[in-house]
Amino acid sequence: MASASPSPRRRRRRRGVGGLAALLALVLIGGLAVVAGNSYALREERVTISTAAGALRGVLALPRDAEGPVGLVVFVHGDGPVEATSEGFYRPIWEALAEAGYASLSMSKPGVGGSQGNWLEQSLHDRAVEAGAMIDWALDRPEIDPRRIGLWGASQGGWVLPEVAVDRPEVSFVIAVSPAVNWLDQGRYNLLAELDATGAGEAERRAAIAESDAVRALLNRGAPYEEYLEASADDEPMDRDRWGFVLRNHTADATAALGELGRRDIPVLLVLGEDDRNVDVGDTKRAYERLLGARLTTARFPGAAHTLARSGVEESELWGVLVGTFAPRQVFVPGYLDAQRDFLAGLP
């Protein structure tokens, strides 16, 4: 007699089909979540800008529903081989700026993302010239309002921003995110902060500081790479290109240019993270207040790392990947994107 209930084999098969369907549903939901989380109110145009050092490739990100000319924010990157979108990290920022009626222009560094050259062969002045070429390019674009062009720069870009803003009268505002003032001071602060964060013992601290002092002495003498390599006690010494980059730029100090920028009397937004281990935010804040005066607006965020990402997100690779994939706007601390949008919205 046939059983009224399915056989054990059939039951197992049905559970397998059900499990597969559930897995497919989860994959579909996850895919939709990724698409939704990474959809922005922007129109991105791939662009190429010619400079004296070669062609740069990048992105012009316009407000999606813009009608008529819009303002423009020219992006100046921090350290490292940064491509135009910073691996998507910039898009939530671009969207916030677009909400205030501004486009964003960002180029991949030389040697990155199809741009010609090698960013490690640049000086910080070269990068300022590069930003000037981006402004020149934008002035010929009908969708850009030439009266509303400003700069956005992060970290190492803080040495570039004041030079460009002083030299180019078209620059009408500046957004500086986690900038340092003096290269060597920033390097020493970073070293000590990392030693504190890792709980280094006294002997380890003394050795690390002695190594740093030895490298500084070599830099001050303009030592060739071979001498640095022979003297280095670092497990992972700088390669030749990196040594050349540091040798070329280690005397950078933004104090004089910030003083000149203060005399230009344009609005500046200074954005700082309280958990920054790269830059002494207290020192930066005091210098900017002293040199820029009443035209400075400062926004400080607790729980924010150097990139203004939530400290927990930045310090956990897994958490960073998950949040960056499914909810990239939530990578940043609350209020960071709003502060930039509101600053631009309040400009004339």
Side-chain angles (χ1 to χ4, degrees):
M1 180 182 294
S3 172
S5 63
S7 69
R9 179 174 295 178
R10 287 180 179 175
R11 282 200 296 270
R12 283 196 296 270
R13 185 167 62 247
R14 288 184 180 180
R15 281 202 299 269
V17 170
L20 179 60
L23 178 60
L24 289 173
L26 286 173
V27 171
L28 178 60
I29 292 170
L32 291 174
V34 171
V35 171
N38 289 273
S39 297
Y40 299 95
L42 299 167
R43 289 188 289 114
E44 291 187 20
E45 178 184 341
R46 295 285 167 175
V47 300
T48 300
I49 294 177
S50 296
T51 74
L56 300 177
R57 300 189 184 279
V59 174
L60 175 65
L62 293 152
R64 187 167 59 197
D65 301 322
E67 295 182 5
V70 296
L72 178 70
V73 182
V74 172
F75 272 58
V76 179
H77 309 304
D79 196 14
V82 187
E83 63 89 35
T85 73
S86 191
E87 306 300 332
F89 189 78
Y90 284 159
R91 287 193 171 100
I93 303 172
W94 294 348
E95 184 179 56
L97 305 183
E99 289 171 358
Y102 284 77
S104 297
L105 178 62
S106 178
M107 311 306 293
S108 297
K109 282 190 176 183
V112 182
S115 293
Q116 295 177 341
N118 179 355
W119 67 274
L120 284 169
E121 295 178 354
Q122 290 185 309
S123 67
L124 294 173
H125 174 70
D126 293 334
R127 294 183 58 191
V129 172
E130 191 176 89
M134 295 166 69
I135 293 172
D136 289 336
W137 178 89
L139 292 173
D140 291 331
R141 298 284 298 207
E143 63 268 64
I144 302 302
D145 182 350
R147 300 166 300 174
R148 294 190 294 145
I149 293 177
L151 304 172
W152 183 101
S155 190
Q156 198 176 89
W159 288 298
V160 180
L161 296 176
E163 179 179 346
V164 181
V166 168
D167 288 346
R168 298 297 303 241
E170 299 90 350
V171 173
S172 59
F173 62 87
V174 172
I175 299 174
V177 180
S178 304
V181 177
N182 179 278
W183 180 295
L184 292 176
D185 289 348
Q186 180 267 334
R188 180 53 55 91
Y189 176 84
N190 174 236
L191 172 65
L192 297 177
E194 293 295 343
L195 289 170
D196 289 342
T198 58
E202 189 59 33
E204 184 180 351
R205 289 176 66 88
R206 284 198 302 268
I209 292 170
E211 168 73 4
S212 174
D213 288 343
V215 170
R216 287 186 179 209
L218 292 171
L219 290 170
N220 289 337
R221 289 197 292 102
Y225 178 67
E226 289 75 15
E227 184 177 350
Y228 156 74
L229 194 61
E230 182 178 354
S232 177
D234 198 325
D235 292 337
E236 297 181 358
M238 289 180 264
D239 63 21
R240 185 180 297 275
D241 282 353
R242 183 69 186 184
W243 175 255
F245 180 77
V246 175
L247 189 62
R248 199 175 299 116
N249 294 297
H250 75 280
T251 59
D253 188 297
T255 303
L258 284 170
E260 293 184 47
L261 178 58
R263 289 187 285 276
R264 265 214 63 193
D265 195 33
I266 64 174
V268 176
L269 173 64
L270 174 64
V271 184
L272 302 170
E274 296 287 0
D275 293 349
D276 194 333
R277 295 206 298 259
N278 292 68
V279 168
D280 183 341
V281 296
D283 179 70
T284 291
K285 181 174 181 290
R286 287 188 293 272
Y288 271 65
E289 287 176 343
R290 175 170 57 86
L291 296 166
L292 299 181
R295 296 296 273 164
L296 176 69
T297 299
T298 302
R300 294 180 69 162
F301 294 94
H306 182 60
T307 61
L308 274 294
R310 301 169 190 257
S311 296
V313 172
E314 179 142 312
E315 292 171 4
S316 169
E317 184 175 353
L318 175 60
W319 190 233
V321 169
L322 290 173
V323 176
T325 300
F326 290 97
R329 296 171 185 83
Q330 302 307 312
V331 167
F332 300 106
V333 290
Y336 169 61
L337 299 176
D338 295 339
Q340 296 173 87
R341 180 198 62 212
D342 294 346
F343 172 74
L344 292 184
L347 297 178

